[in-house]
Amino acid sequence: MKKYDNYKDSGIEWIGEIPKHWDCFRLKNIVKAPLKYGANESAEDDNPNNPRYIRITDFGADGLLKDDTFKSLPLEVAKNYFLEDGDLLFARSGATVGKTFLFKNYDGIACYAGYLIKASFDKNYINSTYIDYITRSNYYENWKLSIFQQATIQNIGADKFNLFNIPIPNNIEEQTQIAKYLDHKTNQIDTLISKKKQFINLLQEERIAVINQAVTKGLDPKVKMKDSGIEWLGEIPEHWEVKRMKYLCDVTTGGKDTENREDNGKYPFFVRSQTIERISSYSFDGEAILTAGDGVGVCKVWHYVNEKFDFHQRVYMMSNFKPVLGKYLFYYLKENFGKEVMKLSAKSTVDSLRRPMFQNFMVCFGSLEEQKEIINQIEKEDIRIETLISKSQQEIELLKEYKTALISEVVTGKVDVREEILN
């Protein structure tokens, strides 16, 4: 892309030079009304006939409003905080401070919450989509960091947003051209990112299928099969055994609580999440499988370990494996335990597990040699799949960086996109 013919100093360190016919204005000088805080009302109403009450939690990553977070306000309250098409909302505090949402093409009436600040623009002079892209640039991020460095808390009020300097073409037509160009290019980038995320999902599904196939059907596609006698398991290799877990390992729970964790502890401390904490004591030394006994991690959090460690009182540990290998049972449980346990619950999730659930769970397995081959095959496939996932994740991050860099270059006038052909 080419540059503009003539440049001048913007007077702003983070922007540098801008095209000669551009100017830098503070936000307060380009809004048609003073920045305004939203309503300080609780979000209890979900009447679809009332104006939607937009909060920070309603901002979707795709720039759209989330459907599953709908809340509303009574008309008599909402009328003082109505939004118009093209209004830009700024989050003023919390983890999302500085995040923006462009209220555009909404089918209905909406108002906004007190932790948001509304900026309205005259459509004859300012393209709000262009301003929205400014807030997605590196320049905006640098400005936010400078604000945080001056304050003890991360909070940007209207007084600070008012002083935010915005580089802007001096005619609405060029602003609109730039906005259309960025719409087109960012949509292309977002489509690529979406495809790579879909690819990652397919790889994760493949990993589950590979593991499940190996631990329930074996590695030989020509092996003679038999009915396992277990509905969810179906057929298994004819020479395999099926036994309850109480004959395959010991099942126990830990003796520590979350408050026993230590940041610089010598040993791993397994709690009810995928995060492994640290602790200075250990209650077990050897091979084990650990899983959350209650909470959100039930049937989701699984660890295989072979070292000294300690574990939470609501974490179940399986150990002393016979005649199955610990890692084989780990893969088997990780992919199949939740399927059977869910049948014991009338709800969509299981709140907690009990020892009999483990002891009576049915496990199919072949010889120790077959189990070793299955483990080796799973780990080989896992390395292949994880390599592809990691590569795709890196590509996604590069695309995100490119997107931000492109926006930054365009909205600060470093490149001229007025004659770019969109295809």
Side-chain angles (χ1 to χ4, degrees), residues 6 31 47 62 94 134 156 158 164 201 215 218 241 262 271 280 293 318 336 342-343 350 364 419:
N6 297 295
V31 291
N47 184 346
D62 56 3
I134 288 280
I156 304 179
F164 175 55
N201 290 336
V215 297
E241 296 182 67
E262 302 173 43
V271 292
S280 294
M318 285 130 276
N336 293 293
M342 285 305 302
K343 294 180 181 179
V350 178
C364 68
E419 297 178 5

Side-chain angles (χ1 to χ4, degrees), residues 57 106 168 198 263-264 302-303 335 417:
T57 53
Y106 182 71
I168 189 168
Q198 290 172 12
D263 290 341
N264 299 312
W302 294 92
H303 300 281
E335 301 305 332
V417 299

Side-chain angles (χ1 to χ4, degrees), residues 44 68 73 92 172 175 224 252 272 287 296:
E44 298 176 357
D68 58 352
L73 283 186
R92 64 186 177 98
I172 186 69
Q175 297 172 35
K224 193 172 181 180
T252 187
R272 291 168 293 176
E287 185 183 36
V296 296

Side-chain angles (χ1 to χ4, degrees), residues 157-414:
D159 57 330
K160 295 183 178 67
F161 280 117
N162 269 325
L163 301 179
F164 175 55
N165 282 292
I166 296 176
I168 189 168
N170 59 17
N171 63 84
I172 186 69
E173 291 78 18
E174 186 173 352
Q175 297 172 35
T176 302
Q177 285 175 318
I178 289 173
K180 286 182 177 178
Y181 172 82
L182 288 174
D183 281 344
H184 181 75
K185 299 302 290 186
T186 56
N187 282 338
Q188 287 182 328
I189 296 170
D190 288 341
T191 298
L192 285 174
I193 291 174
S194 178
K195 288 180 178 179
K196 292 189 180 298
K197 287 182 177 179
Q198 290 172 12
F199 180 57
I200 289 175
N201 290 336
L202 290 173
L203 287 170
Q204 291 170 335
E205 290 174 6
E206 181 186 356
R207 174 157 50 195
I208 292 171
V210 165
I211 294 173
N212 200 42
Q213 174 72 17
V215 297
T216 60
K217 309 301 178 186
L219 301 177
D220 184 0
K222 297 180 181 179
V223 71
K224 193 172 181 180
M225 308 292 282
K226 68 178 180 183
D227 184 6
S228 67
I230 304 168
E231 183 180 352
W232 64 265
L233 186 55
E235 289 190 331
I236 61 173
E238 188 178 48
H239 61 288
W240 281 23
E241 296 182 67
V242 178
K243 287 188 176 182
R244 296 184 187 276
M245 263 180 61
K246 63 183 177 181
Y247 301 116
L248 305 177
C249 65
D250 298 331
V251 181
T252 187
T253 53
K256 297 293 192 301
D257 204 346
T258 306
E259 63 187 21
N260 298 126
R261 63 187 175 190
E262 302 173 43
D263 290 341
N264 299 312
K266 184 177 180 180
Y267 304 104
F269 178 36
F270 294 92
V271 292
R272 291 168 293 176
S273 75
Q274 204 64 44
T275 301
I276 303 173
E277 304 287 352
R278 305 298 298 181
I279 199 168
S280 294
S281 66
Y282 73 91
S283 59
F284 192 85
D285 181 6
E287 185 183 36
I289 301 168
L290 299 124
T291 191
D294 60 16
V296 296
V298 169
C299 298
K300 298 175 184 177
V301 172
W302 294 92
H303 300 281
Y304 172 81
V305 60
N306 194 355
E307 60 178 320
K308 295 175 181 177
F309 65 88
D310 220 325
F311 58 117
H312 191 276
Q313 60 184 342
R314 289 300 296 134
V315 167
Y316 282 93
M317 178 184 76
M318 285 130 276
S319 61
N320 192 24
F321 305 105
K322 54 183 189 304
V324 294
L325 298 174
K327 189 166 283 189
Y328 174 87
L329 186 58
F330 166 73
Y331 287 125
Y332 186 92
L333 292 174
K334 186 178 180 182
E335 301 305 332
N336 293 293
F337 186 74
K339 298 176 185 176
E340 186 65 9
V341 170
M342 285 305 302
K343 294 180 181 179
L344 304 176
S345 173
K347 299 184 296 183
S348 60
T349 58
V350 178
D351 293 328
S352 62
L353 302 176
R354 298 291 181 265
R355 192 171 306 185
M357 294 179 179
F358 292 97
Q359 293 174 325
N360 294 320
F361 185 66
M362 305 299 289
V363 179
C364 68
F365 56 93
S367 67
L368 291 176
E369 190 59 39
E370 278 185 282
Q371 293 176 47
K372 289 178 183 177
E373 291 176 359
I374 286 170
I375 292 169
N376 289 337
Q377 182 64 24
I378 288 174
E379 291 181 342
K380 178 182 175 181
E381 286 296 297
D382 191 59
I383 291 172
R384 178 186 66 83
I385 292 171
E386 189 56 41
T387 299
L388 290 172
I389 289 176
S390 178
K391 181 181 178 183
S392 296
Q393 289 172 333
Q394 289 173 8
E395 290 171 345
I396 287 173
E397 290 307 309
L398 288 173
L399 283 168
K400 288 180 178 179
E401 290 174 10
Y402 170 68
K403 177 181 172 180
T404 302
L406 176 66
I407 292 172
S408 302
E409 289 284 287
V410 174
V411 299
T412 56
K414 301 300 183 290

Side-chain angles (χ1 to χ4, degrees), residues 41-102:
E41 301 289 337
S42 59
E44 298 176 357
D45 184 14
D46 57 4
N47 184 346
N49 295 316
N50 284 335
R52 177 161 188 172
Y53 188 39
I54 296 177
R55 300 151 298 148
I56 298 171
T57 53
D58 296 319
F59 294 4
D62 56 3
L64 303 175
L65 290 174
K66 298 176 184 176
D67 293 326
D68 58 352
T69 60
F70 180 91
K71 291 294 179 181
S72 58
L73 283 186
L75 183 61
E76 60 270 20
V77 178
K79 66 182 181 181
N80 297 315
Y81 306 96
F82 279 159
L83 290 167
E84 297 179 0
D85 191 77
D87 283 346
L88 187 62
L89 295 174
F90 293 84
R92 64 186 177 98
S93 61
T96 57
V97 61
K99 187 174 181 180
T100 58
F101 172 73
L102 182 62

